[in-house]
Amino acid sequence: MGLLDQLAGQVLGSLGAQQQDPVPQGELLNGVMALLNNAGGLSGMVQKLQASGLGDQVASWIGTGDNHTVSGNQIADALGGEQIAQIAQQAGLEPEHAATGLAQLLPQIIDSLTPNGQIPEGGALDQGLDFLKGKLFG
């Protein structure tokens, strides 16, 4: 999982001081990828978050301006306790720490996967991940 760890390190590294506790970045990124896959790709994840009351935040992540923040509690409410517990278990974290990590990671991932302010046509997760890898690794 070296590439995923590098990818997560690059994305989370851009958060700087916002990240308060060290978390297993690769495992959280794996969790995000599983969430995207289970939700039907990026479009499905965006719809799920919007339907959970995070429409303004998600719109800022997709748009070309600054990303609005979201709390771990908001992410936990949007994704559900079962999803958070599963990711937490995989990452070896308490659920609240996993939710906080996801609250920091999801905006960055969605922002990176929507560089032109819109969800790419076709919605193939692999295409978005290839774009993200290219952007992060040059």
Side-chain angles (χ1 to χ4, degrees), residues 7 11 15-16 21-25 38 45 48 52 62 67-68 77 79 82 85 88 93-94 109 116 121 132:
L7 180 60
V11 171
L15 295 172
D21 297 322
V23 295
Q25 299 169 351
N38 293 337
M45 175 59 69
K48 181 174 185 155
S52 299
I62 294 171
N67 291 337
H68 295 173
D77 290 344
L79 299 179
E82 186 175 319
L93 296 171
E94 293 296 321
I109 294 291
N116 299 317
E121 288 299 317
L132 181 59

Side-chain angles (χ1 to χ4, degrees), residues 73-121:
N73 287 338
Q74 288 173 302
I75 291 297
D77 290 344
L79 299 179
E82 186 175 319
Q83 289 277 355
I84 297 297
Q86 183 177 14
I87 292 169
Q89 183 179 13
Q90 289 174 334
L93 296 171
E94 293 296 321
E96 59 270 11
H97 288 97
T100 299
L102 290 171
Q104 295 172 351
L105 186 57
L106 271 173
Q108 296 296 315
I109 294 291
I110 292 174
D111 183 51
S112 295
L113 293 174
T114 56
N116 299 317
Q118 57 187 353
I119 297 172
E121 288 299 317

Side-chain angles (χ1 to χ4, degrees), residues 5 8 13-14 23 25-26 35 44 51-53 56 58 64 69 96-99 108 124 128-129 132 136:
D5 290 333
S14 70
V23 295
Q25 299 169 351
L35 285 171
S52 299
D56 289 342
V58 172
T64 57
T69 60
E96 59 270 11
H97 288 97
Q108 296 296 315
L129 289 175
L132 181 59
L136 294 174

